[in-house]
Amino acid sequence: NGYFVMKAAREGDDTRLSQIIRQVEEAGASKAPIAKLADKVAGVFVPVVMGIALVTAIVWLVYGETPSFALTRAIAVLVISCPCALGLATPVAIMVGTGVGAKNGVLFQSAEALENLHNVNSVILDKTGTVTEGRPVVTDVKSFGVDPDDLLSLALSIESRSDHPLADAVVRYARSKHVKERTVTDFEMIEGQGVRATIDGVRCMAGNRRMLLANGLALSRSAQQMGEALAAAGKTPLYFAANRQVAGIFAVADVLKPTSRAAVDALQSLGVEVTLLTGDNQATAQSIAAELGIKDVVAEVLPQDKERVVREKQAQGCKVAMVGDGINDAPALARADVGIAIGAGTDVAISSADVVLMKSDLMDAVDAIRLSRQTMRNIRQNLFWAFFYNCIGIPIAAGVLWLPLGLGLSPMIGAAAMSLSSVCVVSNALRLKFFQSTPKPAVKPGEYTVLPKEEAKMAKVVKVEGMMCEHCVAHVKKALEAFPGVTADVDLKSGKATLHGDSIPDDAKLTEAVEQAGYKVVGIE
């Protein structure tokens, strides 16, 4: 009933789909190291075969056969030894492998990445956003000598300037309590520690224990015990200080992704050593690692240290794959033998990686390794049969069976046999299309989505009709979270919005909010 003006910020060639198509084409067209080896072999094979053909003709002439017979034997050798199968053995398998990977949500940036991944025997996993959902929530708050509302106001004011996932959790929690945000000046981020700022003239800071120690602040015995207890429970304690006094502790927890434990088990069953890498304190990291079944844990690492950990693993003789999603993971992704980026991660991480998991599912990293190993096995089979065929065919074409059995091989039959060898190699490569992804574990509803006690007091499920894409999901989510203290998880596939909060509005208000956003409510539970 009107009109609208739309400005396209990106044209067709810049869309995500076009980028995927282009990268798959580039990966299929690029040469893996094993393909370059086949090219070198073919470069030697061709002159050797020409020499064999020449020797064959000379031998038969010396033996007393007619020039026609000698020439026929020489031509048969040349025809049957044509290295078509040898040349097809690698590129066809690479092309099919990268295509199958893209179909299953695994994007190989190059053929070299597809080959290198089969040698990987050590995988380093970043924690936040890789094995966890990457959207932590506040579970506990404790103040020390200050009013709880003042602590929340301090936390909101200083953390709202930060883009760290833990800061986002604190900000969301503080805003749900409707506290006032104060004036902030001199804000600065300390890499690997936290943030500092002046709030209403008072110097304040927020971060991990390393931040307090670096600034000469000491924790009281009770604060230290509480931090250790929270860390032992798998939560990350964040310390807030004002005027050189510890004001309180926020405990933040990040929920594991549903498939993370199964993915770790699958990697270990493939003979791959798994390492958890995180900036969290040792106790928190150990708790999460125990839940995942990981024994090797590297905790309290600064962003620049991640690349060093990869180098140390490589120095021990390991072929390392690094899995991460953040900007601070980019150097480690680039340093690793194979860098694997989560598709929902930052553009910098994706551009630094060799493999991208488009569905952001860690189980796809298992599929990437399995597919790489199957592709390399397929290539070796192709190369074996190509060489085996030539080892059998060339002597027969040269006439080794002519004297004892009177059997010869005409050039026409040799041409047919040569073509059949190429068909066999291509058919074998196409078997990769039957690759089956690793079955995902059956997850009981809510098994991996236990909400903290602060947010689990009330819940409602709103059935919404008319959502067509992720933009629709964002609109519905924004409409529902406009109510104070309400958080909404909106699922496009089921068309349901699950609400949590201390106080959820009645059904009429929820219906009105969704319908004002342009969608229809068909039921509320």
Side-chain angles (χ1 to χ4, degrees), residues 451 455-464 476-483 485-490 496-507 509-511 513-514 524-525:
L451 290 167
E455 296 186 14
K457 294 180 181 178
M458 295 190 66
K460 280 187 179 182
V461 178
V462 182
K463 181 70 174 177
V464 182
V476 173
K477 183 178 178 68
K478 182 178 180 181
L480 293 172
E481 290 188 343
F483 295 106
V486 173
T487 59
D489 296 318
V490 185
K496 292 181 179 180
T498 305
L499 309 183
H500 300 278
D502 294 324
S503 176
I504 297 180
D506 57 39
D507 294 357
K509 290 183 178 180
L510 293 174
T511 301
V514 173
I524 299 179
E525 301 174 6

Side-chain angles (χ1 to χ4, degrees), residues 127-129 131-141 164-170 172-173 229-238 249-257 278 280-281 284-285 287-288 291 448-455:
K127 182 182 77 72
T128 305
V131 298
T132 65
E133 294 288 358
R135 197 169 190 264
V137 292
V138 173
T139 60
D140 304 86
V141 179
H164 194 281
L166 299 183
D168 178 62
V170 172
R172 282 187 284 113
Y173 179 84
L230 292 170
K235 303 173 183 179
T236 301
L238 296 178
I249 300 177
F250 279 65
V252 182
D254 196 0
V255 182
L256 290 178
K257 289 182 178 179
T278 176
D280 286 347
N281 63 65
T284 302
S287 175
I288 294 171
E291 195 172 350
Y448 290 91
T449 54
V450 179
L451 290 167
K453 57 187 178 182
E454 296 289 346
E455 296 186 14

Side-chain angles (χ1 to χ4, degrees), residues 88-106:
L88 289 172
T90 301
V92 174
I94 292 291
M95 188 182 301
V96 176
T98 53
V100 170
K103 180 180 177 181
N104 286 277
V106 179

Side-chain angles (χ1 to χ4, degrees), residues 116-123 272 319-321 337-338 369 373:
N116 288 343
L117 196 56
H118 91 284
N119 286 321
V120 164
N121 55 18
S122 176
V123 171
V272 177
K319 292 292 184 180
V320 181
D337 295 285
V338 180
I369 294 175
R373 291 181 179 182

Side-chain angles (χ1 to χ4, degrees), residues 84-409:
C84 293
L86 186 62
L88 289 172
T90 301
V92 174
I94 292 291
M95 188 182 301
V96 176
T98 53
V100 170
K103 180 180 177 181
N104 286 277
V106 179
L107 188 60
F108 292 96
Q109 307 268 35
S110 67
E112 186 174 2
L114 179 60
E115 177 177 345
N116 288 343
L117 196 56
H118 91 284
N119 286 321
V120 164
N121 55 18
S122 176
V123 171
I124 298 176
L125 303 176
D126 175 56
K127 182 182 77 72
T128 305
T130 301
V131 298
T132 65
E133 294 288 358
R135 197 169 190 264
V137 292
V138 173
T139 60
D140 304 86
V141 179
K142 174 67 176 177
S143 60
F144 297 102
V146 298
D147 184 79
D149 285 344
D150 289 340
L151 174 62
L152 289 172
S153 178
L154 161 67
L156 173 62
S157 303
I158 194 168
E159 294 286 29
S160 62
R161 271 72 178 172
S162 173
D163 61 355
H164 194 281
L166 299 183
D168 178 62
V170 172
V171 169
R172 282 187 284 113
Y173 179 84
R175 282 180 175 159
S176 72
K177 302 301 181 184
H178 314 295
V179 295
K180 182 181 179 181
E181 188 171 351
R182 293 185 262 173
T183 303
V184 176
T185 57
D186 302 326
F187 178 84
E188 60 178 327
M189 294 185 67
I190 311 301
E191 196 175 64
Q193 296 184 12
V195 293
R196 289 190 302 218
T198 300
I199 302 177
D200 290 341
V202 178
R203 195 62 178 164
C204 303
M205 65 182 68
N208 54 28
R209 187 176 177 181
R210 192 187 302 121
M211 178 109 181
L212 300 182
L213 296 176
N215 287 272
L217 298 185
L219 285 172
S220 65
R221 184 173 180 80
S222 60
Q224 184 173 343
Q225 290 176 341
M226 182 177 183
E228 291 172 352
L230 292 170
K235 303 173 183 179
T236 301
L238 296 178
Y239 301 92
F240 290 79
N243 200 22
R244 301 194 61 77
Q245 296 293 323
V246 176
I249 300 177
F250 279 65
V252 182
D254 196 0
V255 182
L256 290 178
K257 289 182 178 179
T259 58
S260 292
R261 175 59 194 258
V264 170
D265 290 342
L267 287 170
Q268 292 173 340
S269 69
L270 291 173
V272 177
E273 178 191 34
V274 182
T275 301
L276 183 66
L277 188 64
T278 176
D280 286 347
N281 63 65
Q282 190 68 36
T284 302
Q286 289 289 357
S287 175
I288 294 171
E291 195 172 350
L292 288 168
I294 298 176
K295 296 180 180 179
D296 188 18
V297 182
V298 183
E300 300 182 22
V301 293
L302 296 173
Q304 62 268 26
D305 291 337
K306 293 184 177 182
E307 187 264 350
R308 175 183 54 80
V309 172
V310 172
R311 277 192 286 110
E312 289 175 352
K313 285 283 184 182
Q314 290 172 328
Q316 296 170 11
C318 297
K319 292 292 184 180
V320 181
M322 170 72 192
V323 186
D325 71 321
I327 292 175
N328 57 1
D329 297 323
L333 290 169
R335 167 65 63 179
D337 295 285
V338 180
I340 303 176
I342 298 296
T346 62
D347 290 343
V348 174
I350 291 173
S351 65
S352 301
D354 304 299
V355 182
V356 181
L357 309 181
M358 299 303 296
K359 292 183 288 188
S360 301
D361 189 337
L362 194 58
M363 191 66 81
D364 289 339
V366 179
D367 287 340
I369 294 175
R370 289 181 53 240
L371 180 59
S372 173
R373 291 181 179 182
Q374 287 193 25
T375 301
M376 294 308 299
R377 185 163 57 247
N378 190 280
I379 290 173
R380 292 190 185 100
Q381 291 169 353
N382 288 345
L383 292 173
F384 169 79
W385 286 111
F387 279 114
F388 180 77
Y389 158 81
N390 281 298
C391 290
I392 298 297
I394 289 176
I396 295 174
V400 295
L401 299 180
W402 179 257
L403 293 178
L405 301 175
L407 295 178
L409 188 68

